[in-house]
Amino acid sequence: MNESRILTVAAAEARSALRRPLWWLLVLGAVVTTLSLSSTAALPSGDGPSGPIEPYANSVHALSFFFGLSGFLLFGFFASVLGGMSVIRDDEHRVVDLIHATPLTAEEYVTGKLAGVGAALGVALVVQVCALAGFYEVLGAGGAVVGPFDLVNYAYPVVAFALPALFGFAGLAFAVGARTRQPLSVMVVPALLVFSLPFFLTWSPPWLGAVGDGVLMTLDPSGLRWYLRVALAPGLSVTEVNSGAIPYDGLLLLNRMIWVGATAFLVWRARRWVGPAGGSRGRAAALETSASGSERGARSADPQFGSAPEGVASGAVAPGMGARTPPLRDLEMVSRRARPYRTLAALVATELRGARRQPLLWGLTALLVGLVWSEGAQSFGPFGEPLIRTSGGLATQLFGTLSFAMCTVLLFVVVEGLHRGRVVGVHEVEFATPTPTWVLLASRPLAALGVCLAMVGVVIVTTIPLIVVQPGGRLDLLPFLLVWGALMLPTLALWAAVTTLVYSSVRSRYTTYAIGFGLLMLSLRYLQHSSTTWVTNWTMAGTLQWSDMGPLQLDRIAIVLNRAWVATLALTTMATAIVVFRRTERDPATRTSVGVRIGRALRPVAPFAVLSGIFVVLLGAEVRAGFQGEAAREVAEKYWRMNAARWSDASLPTRSHVALEILLEPDAGRAEVAGRYHLINRHDRALTRIPFTVRPALGSVEWSVEGRGIPVEDRSGLHVVTLSPALAPGDSVRLNFSFTGTYPAGVTRNGGGTEQFVLPSGVVLHTLRDSFLPQPGFDAGIRPREALRPVPPEPSESEGEESQLRPPGASLFTTTITVDVPAAYRTAVVGHRVQSDTVAGRVLDRWVTRKPVGDISVLAGRWAERREGSTALYHLPEHDRNVEAMFDALLAARTSYSRWFHPYPWEDLKLSEVPGLTRNAIGFPTNISFSEHLGFRSQPVNGLSTAFVVTAHEVAHQWWGNLVSAGTGPGSDHLVEGMASYASLLLVDDHLGVEAGRSYRRQLEATYLSSRRVDREPAVARVLPTGGGSRAVTVDKGAWVQWMLHDVIGRERALAGLRDFVDAYSSGTSLPGLPQMLAHLRERAPDPNAFDRFVDQWFFDTILPEFGVGDLVVEEEATGWAVSFVLANRGTGDVEVDVGVRTEAGMSSRRVRISPTRDVPVRIVVPQRPSEVVVDPDVQVLQNHRDRARIRLD
Amino acid sequence: MIEVRDLVKVYPGPVPALQGVSLNLPPGMFGLLGPNGSGKTTFMRILAGLLDPTAGKVFWDGEDVTRRPERVWPRLGLLPQDFGFYPDLTGREMLTYLLRLKGVEAPGGLTDLSAELLERVNLTDAADRRTGAYSGGMKRRLGIAQAIAGDPKLLIIDEPTAGLDPEERMRVASLLSELAQHRTVVLSTHIVDDVATLCPRLAFIRSGRLLASTSPGRARAALRGRLLEGSVEAEAGQNLIRTAEESAGRIAVTRTLLREGRSLVRCFVRDGARPDGFEPVEPTLEDAYVLLMRGVVGPASMDEAVA
């Protein structure tokens, strides 16, 4: 190869690249990402001896993540365009024949081209590295923590992640462009790689296994899957992240070699596809046939026309032509004024016909199908359990992803459609026709929309198997048509219009790509910000919640206004594009004034802009007035400012009884409530003024005593009623109230769900949070903006050592609740139903509680009922798949928990399915509400019924949370969530079998290990109730720790201790903490010292053993086989654990005690040949890397 | 009648492409002759409403259409010099597509009309082949088909016969001639004989200026008697060329062909002696073009020179 020629080609290519706006936009993007992309997002933080430890933003770990993501997403796109269009551009400029009619070889051409592109990209990368180094090392990283400078920290990530991405994208796109010579095919490359990124990063179904995971790590072009799973393995401390190097790993090397090698191979092949012969597709000279049989006519060098006289007579026959040709006027052609809509339809049809012949659009469709499949196949519930896929669930789950994917596709298809005329050279002919500009311009984006809708149609059809392959899977096309069709269309229309406007303004295909890509990335970033609302969320991503019990009933007005706004904005944008677009090249010297141009532009644009503005204003008003809007925030701030100082410590009477009459109108979203509180003054002084917190949803509340209105001061949501006469100590009064509430009160801020609602799909009202009733006292949970709110003090370690008295405002009370609903509904209310009448199409149910409760819940729905005695399960008739498992759990839990903890104190136990606008379950006394996404959609994991498990967990809250209410000290969460999880462990073990129990414990262990923060894990007894703790510690580890207590004090003694504890606190007058429970358990312990050791390690410390087997020797002896090994604890903790040897006859095990400082030699003799050595075969000890403590011997 | 008045176009640079061109374009065929870069294409694009002039006006039947190209397009048929078609559409589909854009209608519908037009340009057998597979000549013929479709009152054809074989060129000539009976056809080309054969009127343009507006006959008549042709030894031919260059325009060689060791020389003598072995020949329009472009003969020597 001739180096000089290579350099010439490279220099020309680099020069061309560096002059293009596309490159400058890349540099701009590179600098912007430096400032906005956090390098520490994936890194752990922790606690050190002198305070929190944050990850260094300039560590090799942080920068690897940064360059991995930036290289793939940002540089990948631009590298694809620069590399892929390199050869195509030479075709379009028609220089191919010229440059290849020289000694330049194909190898030199390819090498030079790629070198030039690489140089341009390299310069941009250098700019980014310098900007990053300047930002971190010089400017201090804007508040992020920065460690010592080390050049290797920058060099390694650039070499390992950024450069392979640049080469890969540029090379791959170059090869694709050289082969196909079609710009759309080039755009498939970044689309393919970006769409695949979520798949490679997150796809980990339970069945994948280590081998499958390894394969994916090897194939992932970004290398980030390896990084997140190996380099940044769970368990890595922040100190190790900050100071350690990334391990040199053969898997990463293999990954890089595959990616780079495959690209290099394709680039090497590309040399066959470049040059005049390589571009023959579409440029080959066709054989001509004619009626005269004349073919391949030699083009005469003689320009003479022959001897025809000046001017040729009309109708004259050219010499030698044979039969006379009829005159043109016989065709009777006329040109009329073009019919714009008909012409538009014809143009769109032509474009669609052309699109149908683009095989790469089908390739893009296949990509979309792959994206939908990979993301749609992963659907998990709040407990991490896999969920049955439903049409509505899939449609809303993938709505945001599919919208952005379609916008990416639209960017390419619209730009290529608009630019194609210019490329092929037909644009001047098109412009010089009477067809209006708006028809010429709008036909392309309209056709592109048609292409996109066709793609979505294909995606819908190919998504069907995701649902029907599931046993009992029910297909419903309506959600797809509604969500992916009608609701997505305005988003796509707006994006098509924006792309058209950008192209009309800049008239450059590459600049349009760059701007469009940048806008999409910015949108994606912004939409994750908390300031996004319905008004700014033009894609509606993340807003939709589907419920099979009634689709899209929440926020309907917001959805309609948002779509209307976006659709009219699309029209406004398109109208602007038409105004901006020029068919005639303007002369700079004759340009009209800005005012005239604006005036001319306003006329066609104004109507759409006005309409769009109206919708925006209406939508903004709805958001502001909604229960999450500015108006509510202002009320909350005023509530806090006016009342916190004066009323937060107010003395409150005790509620002994609550009587309610509730008229529910689900269709209107309304609940008319008339209620009565029986209040008793248990203080030693009279109470005159009593505050009640009234949420905005309640509207206007009328108060009275014995039928007389009473003075009430409304202090921005704190109603202070004045009793006259005052309520003397020991006296009681019946305070009446009535109101008509709307639930929810207005729209959400940006979609998502809500916990309480009155909707046609169902009713959920309760008093736990944002109470639907007036609540006694000041509610410290109503939070103003942080600046106004003082930081609450951390609870001291000694807090919780004594139980707390239940505050009067949170007293237990009996209830009498009457609910009036349309006859199509059933109700489920706290208490026991004593009466049910149906009158005039409405049902009147009366519910009472005899044992006091702390909270009220009212549920209603169009349910089917599964009942046995006083235990009932209400569900949507179609959601019957897991009903039997859940009902089984309901019955078993009621029976077993009554035996283990305390007899169930109430009559009814009900579990009711509610619309998935809330994603959790709440266990009120006698009345459990279950989101339709929980339990009803759960799928088994490793043969274990997760529906059974989650039901068992939630039923346990009847005891742990309701019967015994925990205090607020550290560790008190364990009494609620930890104990509920422990109860479900017991029930699974007892009811589903020993093997199911082991499987469940393994799942809890895996969940705990994958989500624990190594450097910041609080001990179980130190988890704060204010959310400063960790769910993994409370739910997963807490259950395990409670289970392991069985080994220390015995299962029956442990349960007896728990019964003692529940008996002591079931009256509800005092709120215990963890120390109280441990005290009761200790009383049952046969060896208190062993109990104390266990509690100190597992409750008050954060030990985690990790076992290893070494020096393994297997010898056949006269009496059998002797298996000898050394057991080590590479983790922490002084623990006892079983070690076993498995043979065909079974498991032979013995117990050993082991600590990190003392390895234990073990010898076990078995009668038959051993097949396996297993530490903790019965899954009784929480440990790390359980799989490594298992050795196969065959 | 299309009247062009003082048309000026200056591109950024500045690059003056047209420097005050005034012209009348009556119905019939009108040729525009000039070398590459003379401003022909700029002139045609302004006429077609695709480019705004820097100054000057274009009147069509008395109406100023300079900055109202939408008034021109319904009556226009355009075939640019450099153009193409969507490669994934067949010839038939592409033609139908353009007919729709032009608002063309016919009693038999567009499908029949497309077939007829394709027959006229000898593309019937390739009608269902994708245009991406067309040769240059086939594309030009398809371009002609779309240009002549409808009832355009103004046809602007840039290089109509580029890439066509003689039979095709004759066919195209026939079509254009037929069309020119009832409308204005502006032919821009640097192939002189196309203009000579087809155009009763023509204009010579150079460096953005109009040199002459005349007819082929008058242009030739201006040279009659002074155009000589002779066959000489090659070296003698070279000497004659040197002499012509030093003669300050008294002698101008318009063509030299080397044939079997002898030079066939054609030259113009303003007055004075006839070179030995040279006889008068009938001037061609090409002679007039060459001599006018070189400035050997002035516009005034041709009737109807530019005012």
Side-chain angles (χ1 to χ4, degrees), chain A residues 225-534:
Chain A
R225 186 183 181 102
W226 173 88
Y227 170 75
L228 291 172
R229 287 168 189 276
V230 176
L232 201 65
L236 202 65
S237 72
V238 64
T239 308
E240 289 167 314
V241 164
N242 282 344
S243 59
I246 290 184
Y248 181 80
D249 189 89
L251 207 54
L252 176 67
L253 188 61
L254 183 62
N255 171 285
R256 302 288 82 183
M257 282 170 60
I258 288 174
W259 175 230
V260 171
T263 306
F265 171 74
L266 284 171
V267 166
W268 175 75
R269 287 279 294 180
R271 74 198 201 295
R272 295 188 186 195
W273 306 325
V274 299
S280 61
R281 187 178 301 106
R283 294 196 290 117
L287 291 179
E288 300 172 32
T289 57
S290 68
S292 66
S294 155
E295 194 51 12
R296 297 187 202 259
R299 295 192 179 93
S300 168
D302 186 349
Q304 293 290 337
F305 241 110
S307 55
E310 285 183 11
V312 176
S314 146
V317 176
M321 291 232 354
R324 181 187 173 84
T325 307
L328 277 175
R329 62 171 176 271
D330 289 1
L331 298 178
E332 296 180 54
M333 302 179 288
V334 292
S335 280
R336 297 206 193 287
R337 190 180 170 73
R339 296 177 201 183
Y341 293 102
R342 226 167 116 178
T343 308
L344 179 66
L347 294 191
V348 171
T350 305
E351 289 281 321
L352 288 175
R353 216 175 299 125
R356 212 178 49 200
R357 295 177 191 144
Q358 294 261 359
L360 292 148
L361 284 179
W362 297 106
L364 271 176
T365 307
L367 270 183
L368 288 171
V369 171
L371 179 71
V372 164
W373 269 69
S374 68
E375 202 170 311
Q378 304 183 87
S379 186
F380 298 103
F383 285 85
E385 75 280 13
L387 297 180
I388 295 168
R389 295 179 290 274
T390 62
S391 301
L394 269 183
T396 49
Q397 175 191 345
L398 297 168
F399 178 68
T401 300
L402 196 58
S403 294
F404 273 97
M406 295 312 304
C407 285
T408 308
V409 169
L410 259 181
L411 177 64
F412 302 142
V413 177
V414 169
V415 170
E416 288 310 308
L418 290 170
H419 195 70
R420 207 155 57 109
R422 195 169 285 274
V423 169
V424 302
V426 74
H427 64 292
E428 288 203 327
V429 174
E430 289 176 329
F431 291 169
T433 64
T435 298
T437 302
W438 72 267
V439 172
L440 284 178
L441 200 61
S443 60
R444 269 61 173 198
L446 273 178
L449 277 176
V451 167
C452 283
L453 288 178
M455 283 181 168
V456 170
V458 171
V459 171
I460 290 175
V461 168
T462 53
T463 302
I464 290 173
L466 270 181
I467 294 166
V468 300
V469 295
Q470 303 169 112
R474 280 197 188 91
L475 177 67
D476 182 2
L477 285 181
L478 173 67
F480 294 117
L481 295 175
L482 177 61
V483 177
W484 289 359
L487 292 184
M488 194 185 292
L489 186 58
T491 301
L492 302 184
L494 176 58
W495 183 246
V498 167
T499 305
T500 307
L501 175 59
V502 173
Y503 181 82
S504 297
S505 306
V506 303
R507 290 297 189 102
S508 160
R509 154 211 257 164
Y510 303 116
T511 308
T512 307
Y513 281 140
I515 293 174
F517 183 72
L519 285 175
L520 272 182
M521 291 297 111
L522 277 173
S523 266
L524 202 56
R525 185 100 172 92
Y526 172 73
L527 289 175
Q528 294 165 355
H529 201 268
S530 60
S531 61
T532 307
T533 70
W534 283 103

Side-chain angles (χ1 to χ4, degrees), chain A residues 523 526-527 531-539 562 565 619 750:
Chain A
S523 266
Y526 172 73
L527 289 175
S531 61
T532 307
T533 70
W534 283 103
V535 177
T536 51
N537 191 348
W538 63 280
T539 65
N562 176 286
W565 159 63
L619 182 57
N750 187 37

Side-chain angles (χ1 to χ4, degrees), chain A residues 10 64 135 157 196 261 404 454 541 632 749 758 814 853-854 903 1022:
Chain A
S64 293
F135 183 59
S196 68
F404 273 97
R749 189 176 154 75
V758 176
T814 55
V853 297
R1022 308 225 190 276

